[in-house]
């Protein structure tokens, strides 16, 4: 019996979480779910979108699976997802993206691993609001120390990238490559422009790479990387990126394999692991039983591997692959047109997978 924290999330989160929970239970592995709500409704009821009970539950169980949680745009509370990663020091966001036969996409045989740094960079949440005393101090400091002028009506976000944070994420990428018989690690940056943050990321990546002579290492500038991934994705293998580029490139790579409905992920630290799909809460589809639960189910496959249930993970992955290949019990996003009347519902997908697991 595995004790796992289950955070259903909001928007489409509860629907895809329920479908995922049913499928994981149907594998025959037994779970004791500690269901912990977080997000906007919890904020209204409990005064915090991420109450301490959620963190305590993950600390106790060490493993969690979560649905997406909405972050208000521009104003309102800060991202629960980012807070979870920072509080539990889940420094690595691992997002494997591989082609499934039958998925509608322009590409074949994609097999890429995104390793995104998860705690630093512009995602650190270090910001100064326009006209605040903090913003004024930073503007003055920049003028005094660099002689550069920032307009006084500016909002300011700070981009910290440390040696410590970079070393551990790049090491993770190389260790992952070694453990999984991968040949190459590509570090992505914009070191030509941001010499002290991305420049540091590149320099530390090169240093770490020296410890792994068995694995090829190269680097790419982020803009070039985006173009190369669209034109020649087969040239890449494990890709390690600072937080913001990792966020953007994860969605790009999801697009190569047929969309966000198929892109799973894991937030990993030395002590805790939180599995969640790459996609967000898609609020416009909330409650419609319409969206694709496979990205969350595939995050469940990653969780099964993590807890050591490797053969069950492989079995669930191949059953999901069969359902995709057959093309009958798949949601609207995997159909040629999004209003296809034959599209399956979220719960239909779970039923089809469960039927094959029996
Ligand atoms: P999104 O990923 O929620 O949705 C973008 C579009 O992708 C949707 O409109 C839909 O067309 C499609 N899509 C997403 N998931 C799908 C699925 N499972 N099946 C079928 N189609 C799917 O991105 P967004 O609209 O930019 O963000 C919505 C909210 O989610 C925001 O508040 C954002 O902050 C939040 N978010 C949360 C997480 C997380 O919880 N880790 C991640 C990303 C975004």
């Amino acid at each position: 019996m595995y004790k796992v924290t289950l955070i259903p999330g909001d928007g489409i989160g509860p629907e895809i979480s329920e479908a995922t929970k049913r499928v994981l239970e149907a594998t025959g592995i037994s779970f004791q779910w500690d269901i912990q709500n977080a997000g906007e409704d919890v904020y209204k009821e409990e005064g915090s979108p991420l109450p301490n009970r959620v963190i305590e539950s993950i600390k106790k169980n060490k493993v969690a699976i979560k649905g997406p949680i909405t972050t208000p745009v521009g104003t309102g509370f800060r991202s629960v997802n980012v807070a979870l990663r920072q509080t539990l020091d889940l420094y690595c966001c691992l997002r494997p993206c591989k082609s499934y036969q039958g998925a509608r996409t322009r590409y074949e045989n994609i097999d890429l691993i995104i390793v995104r740094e998860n705690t630093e960079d512009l995602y650190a949440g270090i910001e100064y609001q326009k006209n605040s005393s903090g913003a004024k101090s930073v503007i003055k400091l920049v003028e005094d120390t660099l002689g550069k002028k920032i307009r006084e009506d500016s909002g300011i976000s700070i981009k910290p990238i440390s040696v410590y944070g970079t070393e551990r994420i790049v090491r993770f990428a190389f260790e992952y490559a070694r453990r999984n018989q991968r040949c190459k690690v590509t570090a992505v940056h914009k070191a030509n422009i941001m010499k002290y943050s991305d420049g540091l990321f590149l320099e530390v990546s090169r240093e770490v790479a020296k410890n792994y002579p068995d694995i090829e290492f190269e680097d790419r500038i982020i803009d070039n990387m985006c173009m190369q991934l669209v034109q020649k994705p087969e040239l890449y293998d494990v890709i390690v990126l600072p937080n913001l580029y990792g966020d953007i490139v994860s969605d790009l790579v999801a697009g190569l394999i047929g969309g966000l409905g198929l892109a799973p992920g894991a937030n990993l630290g030395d002590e805790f692991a939180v599995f969640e799909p790459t996609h967000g809460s898609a609020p416009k589809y909330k409650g419609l039983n319409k969206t694709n639960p496979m990205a969350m189910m595939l995050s469940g496959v990653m969780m099964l591997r993590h807890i050591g249930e490797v053969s069950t993970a492989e079995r669930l992955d191949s059953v999901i692959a069969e359902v995709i290949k057959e093309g009958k019990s798949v949601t609207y996003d995997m159909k040629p047109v999004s209003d296809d009347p034959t599209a399956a519902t979220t719960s239909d997908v779970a039923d089809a997978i469960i039927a094959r697991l029996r």
Side-chain angles (χ1 to χ4, degrees):
M1 167 85 76
Y2 293 96
K3 289 187 180 169
V4 173
T5 303
L6 171 62
I7 305 171
D10 55 28
I12 60 167
E15 303 155 44
I16 59 168
S17 296
E18 178 59 23
T20 300
K21 177 169 159 281
R22 285 172 52 215
V23 161
L24 285 171
E25 285 168 352
T27 61
I29 305 285
S30 81
F31 292 99
Q32 188 183 334
W33 305 108
D34 182 2
I35 297 180
Q36 295 286 340
N37 290 313
E40 196 150 26
D41 291 344
V42 170
Y43 177 61
K44 285 179 200 143
E45 286 158 21
E46 301 181 40
S48 161
L50 182 61
N52 216 24
R53 57 173 170 75
V54 184
I55 301 290
E56 288 310 315
S57 167
I58 302 172
K59 283 189 174 163
K60 197 173 76 208
N61 297 323
K62 312 269 189 235
V63 180
I65 184 158
K66 82 174 264 296
I69 296 178
T70 306
T71 310
V73 177
T75 56
F77 60 80
R78 288 203 168 270
S79 166
V80 171
N81 312 303
V82 173
L84 255 183
R85 295 166 192 163
Q86 290 178 345
T87 310
L88 296 169
D89 200 22
L90 305 170
Y91 62 85
C92 172
C93 183
L94 179 65
R95 290 174 163 172
C97 268
K98 68 173 181 189
S99 299
Y100 285 93
Q101 234 184 322
R104 293 190 168 272
T105 157
R106 294 169 189 271
Y107 300 87
E108 282 170 8
N109 304 323
I110 300 286
D111 187 7
L112 292 165
I113 305 293
I114 302 295
V115 177
R116 165 189 176 188
E117 202 289 325
N118 227 4
T119 60
E120 304 198 313
D121 192 1
L122 281 166
Y123 259 75
I126 303 170
E127 299 197 290
Y128 296 100
Q129 198 170 18
K130 169 189 78 162
N131 294 332
S132 64
S133 64
K136 286 179 185 150
S137 304
V138 174
I139 290 169
K140 183 167 182 316
L141 178 76
V142 169
E143 183 156 12
D144 291 349
T145 54
L146 298 174
K148 293 200 175 176
K149 273 212 176 300
I150 298 177
R151 285 184 193 282
E152 63 180 39
D153 57 352
S154 299
I156 298 169
S157 303
I158 306 262
K159 171 170 168 144
I161 291 191
S162 69
V163 172
Y164 175 83
T166 306
E167 255 174 18
R168 66 179 178 172
I169 195 66
V170 178
R171 215 179 301 123
F172 182 101
F174 276 102
E175 291 292 333
Y176 181 95
R178 243 186 208 166
R179 267 200 320 278
N180 294 280
Q181 293 78 48
R182 298 271 172 170
C183 306
K184 181 162 81 173
V185 171
T186 305
V188 180
H189 59 86
K190 187 86 185 175
N192 49 333
I193 303 299
M194 282 158 279
K195 296 185 190 295
Y196 299 143
S197 49
D198 286 31
L200 181 149
F201 187 86
L202 175 58
E203 189 190 314
V204 173
S205 298
R206 284 182 174 147
E207 279 307 308
V208 173
K210 288 182 187 159
N211 301 310
Y212 299 88
D214 48 322
I215 293 162
E216 193 187 337
F217 172 73
E218 61 178 15
D219 70 277
R220 289 283 179 276
I221 292 178
I222 178 65
D223 36 356
N224 179 27
M225 186 77 218
C226 289
M227 191 218 43
Q228 297 251 336
L229 280 171
V230 171
Q231 274 202 321
K232 304 178 230 170
E234 67 282 1
L235 295 185
Y236 298 94
D237 191 350
V238 176
I239 303 173
V240 61
L241 317 91
N243 207 336
L244 181 63
Y245 307 146
D247 177 47
I248 297 166
V249 169
S250 295
D251 273 39
L252 187 157
V253 172
L256 303 180
I257 59 158
L260 285 166
L262 291 176
N267 300 293
L268 306 170
D270 292 332
E271 279 187 90
F272 314 111
V274 177
F275 296 84
E276 65 172 341
T278 294
H279 65 75
S281 57
K284 70 178 173 188
Y285 294 117
K286 177 184 174 175
L288 301 182
N289 192 24
K290 187 175 167 164
T291 49
N292 194 346
M294 285 175 172
M296 186 156 175
M297 291 173 178
L298 292 169
S299 308
V301 168
M302 293 177 77
M303 182 181 83
L304 287 169
R305 270 195 206 107
H306 176 83
I307 61 177
E309 297 291 349
V310 178
S311 59
T312 305
E314 303 306 332
R315 192 166 125 250
L316 178 54
D317 189 40
S318 37
V319 166
I320 293 172
E322 280 169 25
V323 170
I324 297 171
K325 190 171 175 188
E326 190 196 48
K328 247 171 63 189
S329 303
V330 295
T331 44
Y332 77 94
D333 53 308
M334 299 186 68
K335 295 285 186 182
V337 286
S338 59
D339 58 356
D340 188 322
T342 67
T345 64
T346 307
S347 42
D348 289 340
V349 175
D351 292 341
I353 292 169
I354 291 166
R356 283 174 188 259
L357 282 169
R358 289 216 171 101

